[in-house]
Amino acid sequence: MRGGNCVESRHLCDFGDMPLSDWEQISRTAAQMIERPLDYADVCRGKVLGTTFFEPSTRTRFSFQAAMLRLGGSYIGFSDPYNSSVSKGENLKDTVRTVANYVDAIAMRHPLEGAAMAATLYSRVPVINAGDGGHMHPTQTLTDLLTIKQYRGSLEGNRVGFCGDLKNGRTVHSLIKALIRFPGNSFTLISTKELRLPAYTIEELEASGCRYTEVDRIEDCIGELDVLYMTRIQKERFASDEEYHEQSGKYILDRAKMALAPRDLIVMHPLPKIDEITDEVDEDSRCIYFKQAENGMYVRMALLYLLTQDGARYEPQPPRSNVDGLRCRNPRCITNHELYLPQRFKRPAENPANLLCEYCDHSATL
Amino acid sequence: MRGGNCVESRHLCDFGDMPLSDWEQISRTAAQMIERPLDYADVCRGKVLGTTFFEPSTRTRFSFQAAMLRLGGSYIGFSDPYNSSVSKGENLKDTVRTVANYVDAIAMRHPLEGAAMAATLYSRVPVINAGDGGHMHPTQTLTDLLTIKQYRGSLEGNRVGFCGDLKNGRTVHSLIKALIRFPGNSFTLISTKELRLPAYTIEELEASGCRYTEVDRIEDCIGELDVLYMTRIQKERFASDEEYHEQSGKYILDRAKMALAPRDLIVMHPLPKIDEITDEVDEDSRCIYFKQAENGMYVRMALLYLLTQDGARYEPQPPRSNVDGLRCRNPRCITNHELYLPQRFKRPAENPANLLCEYCDHSATL
Amino acid sequence: MRGGNCVESRHLCDFGDMPLSDWEQISRTAAQMIERPLDYADVCRGKVLGTTFFEPSTRTRFSFQAAMLRLGGSYIGFSDPYNSSVSKGENLKDTVRTVANYVDAIAMRHPLEGAAMAATLYSRVPVINAGDGGHMHPTQTLTDLLTIKQYRGSLEGNRVGFCGDLKNGRTVHSLIKALIRFPGNSFTLISTKELRLPAYTIEELEASGCRYTEVDRIEDCIGELDVLYMTRIQKERFASDEEYHEQSGKYILDRAKMALAPRDLIVMHPLPKIDEITDEVDEDSRCIYFKQAENGMYVRMALLYLLTQDGARYEPQPPRSNVDGLRCRNPRCITNHELYLPQRFKRPAENPANLLCEYCDHSATL
């Protein structure tokens, strides 16, 4: 425990690594910030956030930068790889060590999985994962949780539908993993056969004991949902144009489908969206995704405030590899691009035989 | 009226839509800011400007950002389209709704005509047009007016020459439209036949009752001017290299031409300039374009201060189309790219039969 | 003298032009800022730095921006040429005159030699050279001097080794030129034949009376050094891959070579580095390059504070050419790209027959 107004976590790479007490502290703080923003207008005065975006993401970057500014702090940053020292061949370790000299916290977006965790090994200041490839995006998860709590009153006992590309959507995987930490939630998975939730997430769902069903059409379940979480469905996921056009209509949320929904349903979306929600539905008061985006700023304010309060600096001690000779086999894992990184594996409680890479969570034993 | 230290306008898309009382308030405030900048060093403390530049414009962007910083505020932003969510296919409506969550005002530069007006339909915060294609650039107009008033003492009764590409220069069109709102100004239009002021601007000039003449050479009129407004003339506007070289010399302001000018002439230019003013003339004290650029910062300070003072947020209510079935036929109009936008047309007082698109001002009846 | 808490210099283009009393003031101020950063947290409140980077350099840009933020100021800027007015054909003079209207100091990075000095001719505010092509990078020199002083106690009587590409490394040339201004330093130059220090730097070394030796291998001298300054050695400098591989190993600092070094050696590097220092050596406490990078922020804080304290603005008066008809023959010199610049030459005290370009220091008489 770091005491007082702080959280136990020093960094945030994955919501799953965060004690629930930290989540409660963040959620409580964010709610106070929404209520009385001016009370916090100066709490990060003099503090600097580094937004190191190795791939562009305007929305997430804006949200972090606005959060720091609303706390009275400031930011420096880059927003694409070609504009960084990386283009001169510098490794991640050196970039992190250098940037950490100039800032009080780092928000990192990176195309490779596990990049933020790799950064924590070399950073003197808190590192926040702002998206690491297809792996995690924990501040989106915090945003989603805060929004559900705000509208539903509790994170327990909700009936949550996920619709669209459940196979590739890291937002969906992360939110499901987060919601099964709270009792009584049930899930409805709405997708084509091709875009179903991956087997390992289904396994986690089953291990959790939560109820879930897989359905084919929004109309078949929308009447029984508390939350409908929409995602973008991409044309290129389908074998042919015909197949896409035949199916895509099913997953466009239009007025007719909304007419079947309960009055107190909330429709969420991580944004940006393209055409999976029609323009008229945009004006439906049950669609709260812009409010959700606004909450993203408040939850990042809470996180930045809590992680930087004590202002501690420490010299990080990179650990050694913990399994001799074994290498992660995920080609998108940061350890296969930054070769000095110590190989680290963990044994999940539910299946200790299954070694998982600590950076990217891929199984080493498959 | 929004009372106190405020202006009636909530947004600024076009100087022509702004009541003259607002212009007077802005002009008075800018003059005070020039006089005593430190009095205003904190008036926007805690406020954030979003500079959403869908095409690059360093000069305008710097001017807005410096303005917000000089008021004690801060900014977030992007400076080109490839670095924004737009590259993921998001529409303007969603971008505006999201960004408006994070900021207290939006300065928008966009390649399409009417984009800023479209943004006002979906924004909870003031939108300032920082240039919408070839259409409007109202903060440049405010800058020009402030500069003329500063050097000439009044916006009435000035003899103003415009030189260069009068056909394509949106700065010129806007400033002429602004100056005819004040009595007694007369205009000298200096250009080649090919680059004359467009017919519709000539019509507005004639409807206003202001005197104007069209001339071929700077030397023929510079002796009788109070203000000479230079613009860049582009090689590619001419049929051949020969024609360009034959004519271009006429429109280069050099020492010989300046020798014919009154002592109290002022030479203005919206900048950047290339070679239409020679290096020696740059040092002539009658050339006040860098002072003009500095005024651009002060006028934006005044505008940002006045538009954000009350800090009001409101849920915008996009209107419906007001002329069934009619569509704007300007291919550069934002309504032909963002198809959800309501088609809106207005009937100008001087010619009510002529329906004009509310976004881009193109005639629908041509 | 500008009095009080100020330095004599108005700009910083080249460390060699700065009186040693200014260096002492900067060094003293930086040391106080390291000691008690909060005492300076507000000294630049309301001041704006313009970071005009005509070529990207994340590290240097971050360091300047963080420095200004740590003093309570703020920044505006661009970080590559395509995003600036330059892409519209504007000359440097106009860019500088315009930006100087908006800011209190300019940090300029430019691919052409002498660009920062050219900027000082047209700027109302202090200009700091953040790297002008292969010519100078004086804030790196300040950083290096501060770091040597911090670790060695004095800038006098040190045994300094430089290793790697001594031919092309502007950092090395600048630091050698700076160190010979202090008595008793000696130099060991470690490089291949092809990458030796250029003749003119050798001449300066000899004129200074400082001892120096040229050696082929790190192992042959590391035992006798106080400071080892490493630089990147680039593959493309060698005639063939074989030659590169044969030689490059010699200049990689590994554990075996560090075993020969004194306990109190410090290893410096301007960063970014690629593979000239092995990963294990990175963890050796004698490697202080990340501390060096941190010092870079403090020295820039000191510089920005001292240069902007009096807040004076003045209208710059560009001088005339001082040698009729002579032009600098360096194709990378700014004067051969911005043709309005006055040609200026100086006669060095040690060889008055040798005219040197004031912008780029190239000899006009070769």
Side-chain angles (χ1 to χ4, degrees):
Chain A
M1 263 301 279
R2 290 160 76 209
N5 228 353
C6 290
V7 281
E8 212 172 313
S9 312
R10 189 175 280 283
H11 306 285
L12 173 57
C13 293
D14 177 1
F15 179 79
D17 296 338
M18 177 181 268
L20 281 184
S21 58
D22 278 5
W23 154 250
E24 280 152 22
Q25 173 80 319
I26 292 168
S27 156
R28 212 178 310 123
T29 307
Q32 286 167 1
M33 287 172 165
I34 291 170
E35 194 77 28
R36 300 189 308 274
L38 294 182
D39 286 5
Y40 293 87
D42 267 317
V43 294
C44 284
R45 177 77 57 212
K47 295 220 158 72
V48 179
L49 171 68
T51 51
T52 58
F53 275 53
F54 293 85
E55 65 180 12
S57 173
T58 313
R59 184 178 307 280
T60 304
R61 180 167 62 85
F62 274 19
S63 176
F64 270 107
Q65 292 174 340
M68 196 50 159
L69 294 174
R70 298 284 176 200
L71 298 170
S74 53
Y75 64 83
I76 60 175
F78 55 83
S79 52
D80 67 83
Y82 303 109
N83 213 338
S84 80
S85 291
V86 184
S87 63
K88 296 186 188 170
E90 185 177 59
N91 64 27
L92 186 71
K93 171 169 88 162
D94 281 11
T95 301
V96 167
R97 276 180 164 153
T98 306
V99 173
N101 276 326
Y102 304 145
V103 300
D104 299 282
I106 292 175
M108 178 177 288
R109 177 83 158 215
H110 201 286
L112 293 175
E113 302 177 15
M117 188 198 140
T120 65
L121 305 185
Y122 302 98
S123 175
R124 303 162 57 190
V125 299
V127 174
I128 301 170
N129 186 1
D132 59 336
H135 182 226
M136 292 289 168
H137 191 5
T139 57
Q140 180 68 50
T141 306
L142 294 178
T143 301
D144 296 342
L145 293 176
L146 183 72
T147 304
I148 294 173
K149 193 171 175 195
Q150 194 177 52
Y151 281 88
R152 300 291 311 157
S154 162
L155 290 175
E156 305 182 4
N158 293 298
R159 298 168 301 170
V160 186
F162 289 92
C163 175
D165 183 352
L166 309 188
K167 184 176 175 195
N168 303 289
R170 92 191 140 186
T171 311
V172 170
H173 308 170
S174 295
L175 183 54
I176 289 174
K177 283 181 67 172
L179 284 171
I180 61 181
R181 297 177 73 181
F182 301 90
N185 293 309
S186 63
F187 303 93
T188 307
L189 310 170
I190 315 159
S191 75
T192 67
K193 247 188 323 230
E194 292 77 13
L195 296 178
R196 277 194 192 151
L197 213 57
Y200 65 87
T201 310
I202 292 281
E203 274 172 39
E204 288 179 301
L205 255 179
E206 292 189 337
S208 75
C210 288
R211 278 183 304 128
Y212 74 95
T213 49
E214 294 186 281
V215 307
D216 192 42
R217 303 183 339 141
I218 296 176
E219 300 89 314
D220 296 345
C221 61
I222 195 169
E224 307 299 320
L225 294 177
D226 300 314
V227 176
L228 172 59
Y229 199 101
M230 295 293 294
T231 65
R232 186 146 52 102
I233 185 163
Q234 291 172 302
K235 203 173 174 174
E236 55 272 34
R237 304 295 183 194
F238 292 87
S240 68
D241 260 29
E242 288 74 42
E243 204 179 330
Y244 170 68
H245 284 297
E246 191 202 310
Q247 299 209 9
S248 66
K250 282 190 194 169
Y251 301 108
I252 290 177
L253 189 62
D254 57 20
R255 231 182 235 170
K257 289 168 196 146
M258 284 301 282
L260 306 171
R263 277 208 186 160
D264 63 348
L265 175 80
I266 57 171
V267 179
M268 298 174 69
H269 193 298
L271 302 179
K273 59 189 174 63
I274 308 298
D275 51 16
E276 58 275 20
I277 298 177
T278 66
D279 287 318
E280 313 96 37
V281 171
D282 251 3
E283 313 304 325
D284 191 307
S285 63
R286 291 170 290 185
C287 290
I288 52 87
Y289 27 78
F290 295 111
K291 193 74 190 165
Q292 181 186 357
E294 189 183 3
N295 283 340
M297 180 180 75
Y298 285 107
V299 96
R300 288 176 181 100
M301 285 171 67
L303 186 66
L304 286 169
Y305 169 58
L306 294 167
L307 286 179
T308 64
Q309 264 330 276
D310 67 2
R313 297 288 152 95
Y314 64 111
E315 284 312 316
Q317 300 291 344
R320 296 179 166 276
S321 292
N322 64 356
V323 182
D324 276 355
L326 194 63
R327 288 203 68 81
C328 178
R329 282 181 296 181
N330 171 12
R332 305 290 302 154
C333 179
I334 188 77
T335 61
N336 287 317
H337 296 260
E338 305 269 335
L339 299 177
Y340 55 85
L341 289 170
Q343 293 282 334
R344 304 278 300 172
F345 294 88
K346 57 189 175 189
R347 298 179 185 278
E350 66 272 22
N351 183 1
N354 183 20
L355 282 175
L356 300 181
C357 173
E358 285 191 12
Y359 298 87
C360 72
D361 289 300
H362 270 244
S363 171
T365 47
L366 284 178
Chain B
M1 261 303 278
R2 288 159 78 207
N5 229 353
C6 290
V7 281
E8 212 172 313
S9 312
R10 188 176 280 286
H11 308 284
L12 173 57
C13 293
D14 176 1
F15 179 79
D17 296 337
M18 176 181 267
L20 281 183
S21 58
D22 278 6
W23 153 250
E24 279 151 23
Q25 173 81 317
I26 291 168
S27 156
R28 212 179 308 123
T29 307
Q32 286 168 1
M33 287 171 165
I34 290 170
E35 194 77 27
R36 302 190 307 275
L38 294 182
D39 287 5
Y40 294 87
D42 267 317
V43 294
C44 285
R45 177 76 58 212
K47 295 218 158 74
V48 179
L49 172 68
T51 51
T52 57
F53 276 52
F54 292 85
E55 66 179 11
S57 173
T58 314
R59 184 178 306 280
T60 303
R61 180 168 61 85
F62 274 20
S63 177
F64 270 106
Q65 292 174 341
M68 196 50 160
L69 295 173
R70 296 286 176 199
L71 300 169
S74 53
Y75 64 83
I76 60 175
F78 55 83
S79 53
D80 68 81
Y82 303 109
N83 214 338
S84 79
S85 290
V86 183
S87 62
K88 295 187 189 168
E90 185 176 60
N91 64 28
L92 187 70
K93 172 169 86 164
D94 281 11
T95 302
V96 167
R97 276 180 164 152
T98 306
V99 173
N101 276 327
Y102 303 144
V103 300
D104 299 282
I106 293 175
M108 177 177 288
R109 178 84 157 211
H110 201 286
L112 293 176
E113 304 178 12
M117 187 197 141
T120 66
L121 305 185
Y122 302 98
S123 175
R124 301 162 58 191
V125 300
V127 174
I128 301 171
N129 185 0
D132 59 335
H135 182 228
M136 292 289 165
H137 190 6
T139 58
Q140 181 68 50
T141 306
L142 294 177
T143 301
D144 296 342
L145 293 177
L146 183 73
T147 304
I148 294 174
K149 193 173 175 194
Q150 194 177 51
Y151 280 88
R152 300 291 311 157
S154 162
L155 290 175
E156 305 182 3
N158 292 298
R159 296 168 303 170
V160 185
F162 289 92
C163 175
D165 183 351
L166 308 189
K167 185 176 173 194
N168 303 289
R170 93 191 138 185
T171 311
V172 170
H173 307 169
S174 296
L175 184 53
I176 288 175
K177 282 181 68 173
L179 284 171
I180 61 181
R181 297 178 72 181
F182 300 89
N185 293 309
S186 63
F187 302 94
T188 306
L189 310 170
I190 314 160
S191 75
T192 67
K193 245 185 328 222
E194 292 77 15
L195 296 177
R196 278 193 190 150
L197 213 57
Y200 66 88
T201 311
I202 292 283
E203 272 171 42
E204 288 178 300
L205 256 178
E206 290 189 338
S208 75
C210 288
R211 276 182 305 128
Y212 75 93
T213 48
E214 294 187 281
V215 306
D216 193 43
R217 303 185 337 144
I218 296 176
E219 300 89 314
D220 296 344
C221 61
I222 195 169
E224 309 298 321
L225 295 177
D226 300 314
V227 176
L228 174 58
Y229 199 100
M230 295 293 295
T231 65
R232 185 147 52 105
I233 185 162
Q234 290 172 300
K235 204 173 172 173
E236 54 271 34
R237 304 294 184 192
F238 291 86
S240 69
D241 260 31
E242 289 74 42
E243 204 179 330
Y244 170 68
H245 284 296
E246 191 202 311
Q247 299 209 12
S248 66
K250 282 189 195 169
Y251 301 108
I252 291 176
L253 189 62
D254 58 19
R255 233 182 234 171
K257 288 168 197 146
M258 284 301 282
L260 305 171
R263 279 206 184 160
D264 62 350
L265 176 80
I266 57 171
V267 179
M268 298 174 69
H269 194 298
L271 301 178
K273 58 188 174 66
I274 307 299
D275 52 15
E276 58 274 20
I277 298 176
T278 65
D279 286 318
E280 315 96 37
V281 171
D282 251 3
E283 313 303 324
D284 190 308
S285 63
R286 291 171 289 184
C287 291
I288 52 88
Y289 27 79
F290 295 113
K291 193 74 190 163
Q292 182 186 356
E294 188 183 4
N295 283 340
M297 181 181 74
Y298 285 107
V299 96
R300 288 177 179 99
M301 284 171 69
L303 186 65
L304 286 169
Y305 169 59
L306 293 168
L307 286 178
T308 63
Q309 264 329 278
D310 67 1
R313 297 286 152 97
Y314 64 110
E315 284 312 315
Q317 298 292 344
R320 296 180 166 274
S321 293
N322 65 355
V323 182
D324 276 356
L326 194 63
R327 287 203 70 81
C328 178
R329 282 179 297 180
N330 171 12
R332 305 290 301 153
C333 178
I334 188 77
T335 61
N336 287 315
H337 297 259
E338 304 270 333
L339 299 178
Y340 55 84
L341 288 170
Q343 293 283 333
R344 303 280 300 174
F345 295 89
K346 59 190 173 188
R347 298 178 184 277
E350 66 273 22
N351 183 2
N354 184 20
L355 283 175
L356 299 181
C357 173
E358 284 191 13
Y359 298 85
C360 72
D361 289 301
H362 270 242
S363 172
T365 47
L366 285 177
Chain C
M1 262 303 277
R2 290 160 75 207
N5 229 352
C6 291
V7 281
E8 212 172 313
S9 311
R10 188 176 282 284
H11 307 284
L12 173 57
C13 293
D14 176 2
F15 179 79
D17 296 337
M18 176 183 268
L20 281 184
S21 57
D22 278 5
W23 154 251
E24 280 151 22
Q25 173 80 319
I26 292 167
S27 156
R28 213 178 308 124
T29 307
Q32 287 167 4
M33 287 172 164
I34 291 170
E35 194 75 27
R36 301 190 307 276
L38 293 183
D39 287 5
Y40 294 87
D42 267 317
V43 295
C44 285
R45 177 77 56 212
K47 295 219 158 74
V48 179
L49 171 67
T51 51
T52 57
F53 275 52
F54 293 86
E55 65 180 13
S57 173
T58 313
R59 184 177 306 279
T60 304
R61 181 168 61 86
F62 274 19
S63 176
F64 270 107
Q65 292 174 341
M68 196 49 158
L69 295 174
R70 297 284 176 200
L71 299 168
S74 53
Y75 63 84
I76 60 176
F78 55 83
S79 52
D80 67 83
Y82 304 109
N83 213 338
S84 81
S85 291
V86 183
S87 63
K88 296 187 188 170
E90 185 177 60
N91 64 27
L92 186 70
K93 172 169 86 164
D94 281 11
T95 302
V96 167
R97 276 180 163 153
T98 305
V99 173
N101 277 325
Y102 304 144
V103 300
D104 299 281
I106 292 174
M108 178 178 288
R109 178 82 157 214
H110 201 286
L112 293 175
E113 303 177 13
M117 187 195 140
T120 66
L121 305 185
Y122 302 98
S123 175
R124 302 161 57 191
V125 300
V127 174
I128 301 170
N129 186 0
D132 59 335
H135 182 228
M136 292 290 168
H137 190 7
T139 58
Q140 180 68 50
T141 306
L142 295 177
T143 301
D144 295 343
L145 293 176
L146 183 73
T147 305
I148 294 173
K149 195 174 172 192
Q150 193 178 52
Y151 281 88
R152 300 292 311 157
S154 162
L155 291 175
E156 305 181 4
N158 292 299
R159 297 168 302 170
V160 185
F162 289 92
C163 177
D165 183 352
L166 308 188
K167 185 175 174 195
N168 303 288
R170 93 193 139 184
T171 311
V172 171
H173 308 169
S174 295
L175 183 54
I176 288 175
K177 282 182 67 172
L179 285 171
I180 61 182
R181 298 178 72 180
F182 301 89
N185 293 310
S186 63
F187 303 94
T188 306
L189 310 170
I190 315 159
S191 73
T192 67
K193 245 185 326 225
E194 292 77 14
L195 295 178
R196 278 194 190 150
L197 213 56
Y200 66 86
T201 310
I202 293 281
E203 272 172 41
E204 288 179 300
L205 255 179
E206 291 189 336
S208 77
C210 288
R211 277 182 303 126
Y212 75 94
T213 48
E214 295 186 281
V215 307
D216 193 43
R217 303 185 337 142
I218 295 176
E219 300 89 313
D220 296 345
C221 61
I222 195 169
E224 308 297 320
L225 295 177
D226 301 314
V227 176
L228 174 59
Y229 198 101
M230 295 293 294
T231 65
R232 183 147 53 104
I233 186 162
Q234 291 171 300
K235 204 173 174 173
E236 54 272 34
R237 305 293 185 195
F238 290 87
S240 69
D241 259 31
E242 289 74 42
E243 204 178 330
Y244 170 69
H245 283 298
E246 190 202 313
Q247 299 209 11
S248 65
K250 283 190 194 170
Y251 301 109
I252 290 176
L253 189 62
D254 58 20
R255 233 182 235 171
K257 289 169 195 145
M258 284 302 282
L260 305 171
R263 277 207 186 160
D264 62 350
L265 175 80
I266 57 171
V267 180
M268 298 174 69
H269 195 297
L271 302 179
K273 59 188 174 64
I274 308 298
D275 52 15
E276 58 273 19
I277 298 177
T278 65
D279 286 318
E280 314 96 37
V281 171
D282 250 4
E283 314 302 326
D284 190 308
S285 64
R286 291 171 289 186
C287 290
I288 52 88
Y289 26 78
F290 294 112
K291 193 75 190 163
Q292 182 185 357
E294 188 183 5
N295 283 340
M297 182 180 73
Y298 286 107
V299 96
R300 288 176 181 100
M301 284 170 69
L303 186 66
L304 285 169
Y305 169 59
L306 293 167
L307 286 179
T308 62
Q309 263 329 279
D310 66 1
R313 297 288 153 94
Y314 64 110
E315 284 312 316
Q317 299 291 343
R320 296 179 166 276
S321 292
N322 65 355
V323 181
D324 275 356
L326 194 63
R327 288 203 68 81
C328 178
R329 282 180 297 179
N330 172 11
R332 304 291 301 154
C333 178
I334 188 78
T335 62
N336 287 316
H337 296 259
E338 305 268 334
L339 299 177
Y340 54 84
L341 288 169
Q343 293 283 334
R344 304 278 301 173
F345 294 89
K346 58 188 175 189
R347 297 178 185 279
E350 65 273 21
N351 183 1
N354 183 18
L355 284 175
L356 300 182
C357 173
E358 285 191 12
Y359 298 85
C360 73
D361 290 301
H362 270 243
S363 172
T365 48
L366 285 178

